[in-house]
Amino acid sequence: MSEFDAKQRGKGPRERRKKQKHGREEGKRDNVVMVRVDEGDLNRIDELVDSGQFNSRSEATAFLISEGIKAKQQMFEKMAEKISQIQNLRTELGAMIAEDTKSSESIEQEVDEPPNNGGESQCESQ
């Protein structure tokens, strides 16, 4: 029997759900993220599960991600501000390019139109 099977033996899904800690409810984690971790990190995740605080690697990993985001909250706030500035600059740049394109098109139209010689059309002068 594998180590994982031995850990889970005798624990049905209902028992595992009852034991959840840290205010995490299964239904609130609807997004899936696939990650690869090194052996050391996997061992730490398994330690969280073995401690009985989490029922699965998924729960333990979700907890660690959440705690990491909380620990770096100030960085995320600064990052959000910079992203907002970048989006505003992109909008300004788009407007600038659109305005320049309009100017270029109006200049091209003026060049394509023949000059009006004293109000006479070309057909009348021939």
Side-chain angles (χ1 to χ4, degrees):
M1 183 178 297
S2 75
E3 186 177 326
F4 179 76
D5 292 336
K7 289 178 189 175
Q8 297 301 320
R9 191 172 12 128
K11 296 180 183 178
R14 288 186 185 154
E15 280 186 64
R16 279 184 247 142
R17 265 189 230 116
K18 286 181 195 173
K19 201 177 83 169
Q20 288 179 336
K21 311 261 190 299
H22 304 289
R24 303 257 184 260
E25 293 180 25
E26 229 173 284
K28 291 188 177 186
R29 291 187 295 122
D30 295 332
N31 301 296
V32 176
V33 177
M34 301 286 290
V35 297
R36 293 182 184 274
V37 296
D38 64 28
E39 194 69 27
D41 291 344
L42 183 61
N43 289 335
R44 293 297 186 194
I45 292 167
D46 284 340
E47 287 173 3
L48 287 171
V49 176
D50 291 342
S51 75
Q53 297 300 304
F54 300 94
N55 298 312
S56 66
R57 287 175 171 174
S58 176
E59 285 181 15
T61 304
F63 168 77
L64 291 172
I65 290 169
S66 180
E67 290 300 306
I69 290 170
K70 287 177 192 173
K72 294 293 185 177
Q73 188 60 38
Q74 191 173 27
M75 179 196 70
F76 281 106
E77 289 169 2
K78 288 178 183 177
M79 203 166 48
E81 185 179 318
K82 295 297 181 187
I83 289 169
S84 178
Q85 291 173 359
I86 290 167
Q87 289 170 337
N88 289 338
L89 289 170
R90 285 181 175 157
T91 300
E92 287 178 30
L93 183 58
M96 184 183 78
I97 291 170
E99 183 62 34
D100 187 64
T101 302
K102 285 181 189 175
S103 297
S104 297
E105 288 173 357
S106 66
I107 291 171
E108 287 174 10
Q109 288 175 354
E110 289 175 12
V111 170
D112 289 342
E113 292 177 7
N116 190 353
N117 297 330
E120 296 178 10
S121 70
Q122 281 186 332
C123 294
E124 292 174 1
S125 63
Q126 288 179 355

